[in-house]
Amino acid sequence: IGGGGYYFINERIQYVKTHGTINGHEYVDLGLPSGLKWATCNVGANKPEDYGNYYAWGETATKSKYTEDNSLTYGHSISSLQSQGIIDGNSNLTPQHDAATANWGGSWRMPTYDEQEELLNNCTWERTTQNGVNGHKVTGTNGNSIFLPAAGYRSGSSLNNAGEYGSCVSSTPYESYSNYVCYFSFGSGYQYVDWYFRSYGRSVRPVSE
């Protein structure tokens, strides 16, 4: 299953595959410099505007409560995370602690901090509504796009700011503070890479090479 589009390459028109599926989940090629493919849905969602599931960083299952006490990684230093096999030598989550890999399989994984920066810096972000759901349309230089719903986040047993704010967690911890993880956030009039508590439940939008 797949699709494609026309690219101008060295003054010649070439047809390249820009849509398809990996292990049963759809992707879009946004024309990013890295060639990275972004999934069309969050983990746990059946369509782009579904919120999907929420995951604390380094965990692969959902919970009824998202707290510091039941977080696997909250308060652990980079060296501690590496010694436990939670992150690798590049300070990104290992496959067994990656919610995208664990739940979708194949070559799917969570994006790194640098890959989230690439999405932010090389795409046009537009606040919009899709099938009644608030979020952002993210359009690449090749004209292809994905939709990110404003799914909010979970702390304790509460869902917060759904419909107003969205955040997708990366595989990269924030090195300067052992309680934080890097993620990108987006809302009305803004989108940027941020860092905050690892214990919060956030959306996961997978990527693949």
Side-chain angles (χ1 to χ4, degrees):
I1 299 172
Y6 289 98
Y7 282 12
F8 285 94
I9 303 175
N10 296 328
E11 298 182 349
R12 296 172 56 197
I13 297 177
Q14 297 186 13
Y15 186 77
V16 297
K17 191 173 182 182
T18 57
H19 300 75
T21 62
I22 298 171
N23 211 36
H25 299 281
E26 294 183 352
Y27 71 79
V28 174
D29 180 348
L30 296 167
L32 297 169
S34 68
L36 195 69
K37 303 174 180 71
W38 281 79
T40 59
C41 295
N42 292 340
V43 174
N46 293 316
K47 53 183 183 289
E49 59 269 24
D50 285 349
Y51 289 169
N53 295 336
Y54 300 81
Y55 297 93
W57 187 72
E59 301 179 26
T60 60
T62 60
K63 302 185 286 191
S64 58
K65 287 187 176 182
Y66 294 78
T67 68
E68 298 171 11
D69 290 340
N70 70 15
S71 168
L72 176 68
T73 64
Y74 191 86
H76 289 270
S77 66
I78 298 298
S79 59
S80 174
L81 294 170
Q82 287 176 334
S83 67
Q84 296 177 73
I86 295 173
I87 60 173
D88 59 23
N90 294 318
S91 293
N92 294 308
L93 288 172
T94 55
Q96 61 267 37
H97 291 282
D98 185 307
T101 305
N103 287 279
W104 279 19
S107 58
W108 290 113
R109 58 176 176 79
M110 293 164 61
T112 66
Y113 166 85
D114 289 339
E115 290 165 346
Q116 290 192 336
E117 282 276 4
E118 181 185 51
L119 186 74
L120 286 165
N121 295 332
N122 290 275
C123 293
T124 300
W125 289 64
E126 176 190 2
R127 178 77 168 177
T128 188
T129 300
Q130 181 164 306
N131 293 326
V133 177
N134 292 333
H136 271 70
K137 181 181 181 181
V138 183
T139 305
T141 55
N142 60 6
N144 293 330
S145 63
I146 57 174
F147 178 76
L148 298 171
Y153 67 96
R154 288 194 174 275
S155 62
S157 57
S158 300
L159 175 60
N160 306 287
N161 300 119
E164 301 174 8
Y165 159 91
S167 64
C168 295
V169 69
S170 78
S171 65
T172 310
Y174 183 58
E175 295 193 5
S176 299
Y177 193 38
S178 61
N179 296 330
Y180 284 7
V181 62
C182 299
Y183 64 95
F184 66 71
S185 62
F186 49 93
S188 181
Y190 68 87
Q191 59 276 333
Y192 51 82
V193 172
D194 203 354
W195 42 86
Y196 208 51
F197 293 140
R198 298 174 188 170
S199 56
Y200 284 4
R202 300 190 183 277
S203 302
V204 170
R205 180 60 63 99
V207 297
S208 179
E209 278 76 19

